[in-house]
Amino acid sequence: MSDSSDYVPPKVWTWDKASGGQFANINRPIAGATHEKELPVGRHPFQLYSLATPNGQKVTIMFEELLAAGHSGAEYDAWPVRIGDGEQFGSGFVAINPNSKIPALVDRSGPTPVRVFESGAILMHLAEKFGAFLPASGPARAETLSWLFWQMGSAPFLGGGFGHFYAYAPTKIEYAINRYAMEAKRLLDVLDRRLAESEYVAGDQYTIADMANWPWFGGLALGRAYNAAEFLDVQSYKHVQRWAKAIDARPAVKRGRIVNRLTGDPSEQLHERHDAGDFETRTQDKLAPQG
């Protein structure tokens, strides 16, 4: 890697395995499996293979909201995928998601298992299956889908752009940090202006648009992402703050955000989720050796 301002790209790029910063050991320019590994399968209709990143939280929040709303058919098993160890490149996972990114879902509720990958696709799949958190038609549906896909398009700028260069890159590059800090703040401003005119992202109803946006922008607003709250002056986005705190207080969100979490406060780590009772009995603070 060159830090020189005189760097000139070669005519043909070649893979420098030393590059990539914190994630150098799992970054590579090719797809496909690196090893054989089958995935576990539990007893519930839905099998989720994920991690409690913002994209992973979207789906576990959706499942917990569905169950809270009385959709008992939404019971699920959530299995952790340790992306730092390269588990997303196992043959079983790649068979579900050829892009090797979490989350990935297998819907076993019908006669033939259905794979669904990409967090937005999973949210839509579940919303349509259960008729929940997505208006069936008309302007309200269009607005919800617009804000859902707005988040899908903005996440790379916030995470892969700002988050990477501000928090994870091996060197601090002023140009890159300024470029993506500007975009992160522009996105926060877009969301703040929207939430000035509506209670939730897509209007007056809580939808999958909120579930998609909250783990990213809510987490940032609440100081949980990249240690960047002061740097981005997140407190100045008053409407985002109001919304972020309201969503954070929802019981299903409190449960969903800790599923497949492997770091942080042990009381907020539920490595695997197989039953509603796991939140009371299987968090890491309750499993940790005593004394």
Side-chain angles (χ1 to χ4, degrees):
M1 180 188 298
S2 172
D3 296 328
S4 172
S5 60
D6 297 326
Y7 171 70
V8 177
K11 290 185 180 298
V12 178
W13 182 84
T14 56
W15 183 18
D16 177 1
K17 293 185 179 181
S19 67
Q22 181 173 326
F23 303 103
N25 65 317
I26 60 171
N27 289 340
R28 60 197 183 110
I30 55 176
T34 60
H35 59 282
E36 293 293 320
K37 184 178 181 181
E38 294 302 311
L39 293 173
V41 178
R43 63 187 175 88
H44 292 306
F46 297 95
Q47 300 297 303
L48 179 67
Y49 305 95
S50 191
L51 194 67
T53 66
N55 284 336
Q57 288 179 35
K58 297 176 191 178
V59 178
T60 47
I61 287 171
M62 176 63 163
F63 272 121
E64 293 301 325
E65 291 284 12
L66 286 167
L67 292 168
H71 297 282
S72 59
E75 273 293 351
Y76 70 108
D77 293 281
W79 306 91
V81 177
R82 292 168 174 82
I83 60 176
D85 297 337
E87 291 184 351
Q88 68 275 32
F89 301 118
S91 57
F93 190 88
V94 173
I96 299 173
N97 186 355
N99 195 38
S100 291
K101 303 289 185 182
I102 62 93
L105 177 72
V106 179
D107 179 351
R108 295 177 174 269
S109 62
T112 302
V114 175
R115 76 175 187 181
V116 192
F117 59 91
E118 291 295 329
S119 56
I122 296 173
L123 291 178
M124 284 191 65
H125 178 80
L126 295 173
E128 291 178 338
K129 190 175 191 74
F130 291 98
F133 304 114
L134 174 62
S137 62
R141 180 183 178 86
E143 191 74 11
T144 302
L145 294 180
S146 292
W147 286 106
L148 171 66
F149 286 100
W150 176 80
Q151 187 282 315
M152 299 293 288
S154 67
F157 293 96
L158 186 57
F162 174 75
H164 178 78
F165 286 107
Y166 182 79
Y168 304 133
T171 58
K172 301 300 183 187
I173 303 170
E174 182 179 4
Y175 171 80
I177 291 172
N178 286 343
R179 167 69 179 86
Y180 288 109
M182 178 176 65
E183 183 64 7
K185 288 183 70 66
R186 189 190 70 81
L187 292 166
L188 282 164
D189 192 45
V190 170
L191 189 59
D192 199 62
R193 290 168 186 266
R194 171 58 181 167
L195 291 167
E197 60 189 21
S198 63
E199 182 176 2
Y200 297 106
V201 174
D204 60 0
Q205 298 295 317
Y206 178 62
T207 68
I208 57 174
D210 298 286
M211 298 178 206
N213 278 281
W214 182 83
W216 283 99
F217 292 101
L220 191 65
L222 296 172
R224 295 172 181 162
Y226 313 125
N227 195 28
E230 182 178 9
F231 181 75
L232 294 176
D233 190 22
V234 297
Q235 291 297 327
S236 67
Y237 302 96
K238 302 301 184 184
H239 304 290
V240 172
Q241 287 289 328
R242 183 267 305 164
W243 166 82
K245 292 172 183 176
I247 303 298
D248 192 48
R250 295 178 69 91
V253 172
K254 291 181 179 295
R255 292 191 297 273
R257 66 176 292 267
I258 73 170
V259 175
N260 297 147
R261 180 173 293 279
L262 306 181
T263 60
D265 186 333
S267 68
E268 294 191 345
Q269 293 183 43
L270 183 62
H271 289 192
E272 295 183 8
R273 189 273 190 206
H274 303 292
D275 184 85
D278 290 346
F279 293 99
E280 299 299 324
T281 63
R282 302 289 296 175
T283 53
Q284 284 303 107
D285 60 315
K286 299 180 177 67
L287 298 179
Q290 298 298 311

